[in-house]
Amino acid sequence: MKVANSQEIRRIDRRAIEKYGIPGTVLMENAGREVVFAMIERYGNLEGKRISIIAGKGNNGGDGFVIARHLYNRGATVEVFLLGKSSDIKGDAKINLSILKKFSIPFYEKFSLKELNIHLKHSDIIVDAIFGTGLSSEVKKPFSDAINLINSSEKPVVSVDIPSGISSDTGEVLGIAVKANLTVTFVLPKRGILLFPGAEYAGVVKVADIGIPARVIEEENIRCNLLTKEEIKALLPGRKPDSHKGSFGHLLVIAGSVGKTGAAAMTGLSALRVGAGLVTIATPASLNNILEVKLTEVMTLPLPETDDHSISMSAENILGKIMPEMSTIAIGPGLSTNPETVRLVKRLVTKIDKPTVIDADGINSLVGCLDILKRSTIPLILTPHPGEMARLIGKTSKEVQKNRIGIAQDFAMKHRVYLMLKGARTVFSDPYGNVYINTTGNPGMATAGTGDVLTGMISGLIAQGIDPLSALKSGVYIHGLAGDLAAEEFGEMGMVAGDMIAKIPEAIKYLRDARSMIHDTG
């Protein structure tokens, strides 16, 4: 499913109106009607319900005027509060305001905050139709005061297209934002209601069809996508009856240092759980026995080490001989940033000719020398969390979080790599700038080792012959789904990364057994 930003949705609307001749009033009418249908679906019969609509002076407010009419016709007790002057309303919104005023619907243009608060407290449902997707600056009075009253009303809130105060492009809260229970968004989901913190404000998201021709959306050539269960299910490979372990590849994991053998172990085991045929962990020699005790099904390869018990440069020849036999390589989990180990990582990155996932200390080893990424003969896959991404590009974690999609996309295209930016609502980009957003997962996954699990899953899928893009899609979706299943059993507070590993087979089975798909953002 495509995901739009504010400019893309604006061009789609304009193209539908100008090229295909669909009047803007028709689109506004359809939008308002779809919001009412979604309200009925969620809250049941609305007859007799007291519903307050808080409208702005733009097209979002125009949608609110349409909603008011349809609610009124269904027997609801409706009142509309305009945050602005009627004389400032233009275009399609003005037409719908003129129609609204011919109905016996209370319409308030001049009112005090105290009066508005009294009405909201006596409402059954509040409709937020203040701002649409075009908001780009901080919310100021009187809008901020009205939003404060909406949020403190303790009433169910329905937002039209996007919660007012949320940036539709980044999910940033522009000072203050409506906290909705239901958001009915039009044509396509917007980035701002999928990315945090905006996702937290949107509540349940319903994507409504308002009559935009599919061809109009296709002509926009949108590059941002939402991963869905249906898509991931189709990507999972089957297995022939005469398969053997060699049929599903051999993964080499270069990982581990003192105190971090767990990272290497979880990476290897996750790869097996997702279906890799063989996994070998290359690790410092003094840690080899520890890993052999930790793991039964994973093989190990002891390597020369530094005085700090991290992998040394002397391991280059050994790795150079074994890597051609491998299907895929993963570098970085628990590797350490010992200077000698860092030099080894840099050398390996320029020589590797197999699909390779670089994570954790593998990424940290690249700080300040990103040009070597372009010297690789194949596109590499980098999986940083926001802190690692910040170090990689010389920004702060806060700056990274404010522009997750843009940063992932720009880095991937500039350095010709696949870049997965982990976190709540993980996003990733391919080298061509196509971006994907994942919505599986939960706060219980904010625990040590979950990134190592993801590295193992992605590299384990690639080892089986799955192309890198499909492996990224499947790996991150199943990773989050396994986390959701673990949270159901153990609770978010008590779950650990190992619980997710145990749930990987169940997550895959769940996808294979799924017979239907409901298109939503969950």
Side-chain angles (χ1 to χ4, degrees), residues 56-58 65 82 85-91 93-94 97 107:
K57 61 184 181 180
F65 304 149
L82 176 64
K85 299 178 181 179
S86 294
S87 58
D88 291 335
I89 297 177
K90 310 295 181 184
K94 183 177 181 179
L97 176 58
F107 178 83

Side-chain angles (χ1 to χ4, degrees), residues 316-332:
E316 183 179 1
N317 289 336
I318 298 173
L319 291 171
K321 291 177 181 178
I322 192 174
M323 285 193 297
E325 304 171 11
M326 299 295 154
S327 309
T328 312
I329 298 164
I331 303 177

Side-chain angles (χ1 to χ4, degrees), residues 332-402:
L335 199 58
S336 91
T337 53
N338 177 283
E340 191 172 340
T341 309
V342 168
R343 289 200 303 273
L344 174 65
V345 171
K346 293 176 183 178
R347 289 285 295 269
L348 293 177
V349 166
T350 61
K351 293 182 176 182
I352 289 171
D353 62 355
K354 300 291 177 68
T356 300
V357 180
I358 305 177
D359 186 33
D361 285 332
I363 292 172
N364 292 329
S365 298
L366 302 176
V367 174
C369 56
L370 294 177
D371 286 347
I372 67 173
L373 294 174
K374 294 179 181 178
R375 290 159 58 187
S376 173
T377 58
I378 58 166
L380 301 168
I381 299 162
L382 278 64
T383 58
H385 58 56
E388 292 163 346
M389 190 75 230
R391 287 192 290 274
L392 205 57
I393 61 176
K395 292 184 179 292
T396 65
S397 294
K398 186 176 181 180
E399 288 173 315
V400 170
Q401 291 292 72
K402 285 181 68 173

Side-chain angles (χ1 to χ4, degrees), residues 252-268 280-288 290-291 294-295 300-306 308-312 315 319 330-338 340-342 344-345 359-362 365 452 455:
L252 176 66
V253 180
I254 304 172
S257 61
V258 172
K260 297 180 180 178
T261 56
M266 286 187 287
T267 303
T280 294
I281 296 179
T283 198
S286 64
L287 306 179
N288 189 73
I290 297 173
L291 283 176
K294 282 178 175 286
L295 300 166
T300 61
L301 174 65
L303 294 175
E305 59 184 50
T306 67
D308 292 335
H309 303 290
S310 63
I311 302 173
S312 75
L319 291 171
I331 303 177
L335 199 58
S336 91
T337 53
N338 177 283
E340 191 172 340
T341 309
V342 168
L344 174 65
V345 171
D359 186 33
D361 285 332
S365 298
D452 305 313
T455 296

Side-chain angles (χ1 to χ4, degrees), residues 424-435:
R425 300 293 160 91
T426 291
V427 301
F428 64 92
S429 175
D430 66 17
Y432 311 103
N434 298 302
V435 179

Side-chain angles (χ1 to χ4, degrees), residues 42-43 123-127 150 153-158 179-182:
R42 181 166 178 82
Y43 299 111
S123 299
D124 295 305
I125 302 172
I126 299 170
V127 175
I150 292 171
S153 68
E154 299 183 349
K155 304 294 181 179
V157 178
V158 179
K179 195 86 181 264
N181 302 94
L182 170 67

Side-chain angles (χ1 to χ4, degrees), residues 466-489:
I466 300 173
D467 67 273
L469 180 58
S470 295
L472 283 166
K473 291 179 181 180
S474 304
V476 71
Y477 190 95
I478 298 170
H479 179 257
L481 180 56
D484 290 337
L485 293 171
E488 285 182 10
E489 181 171 347

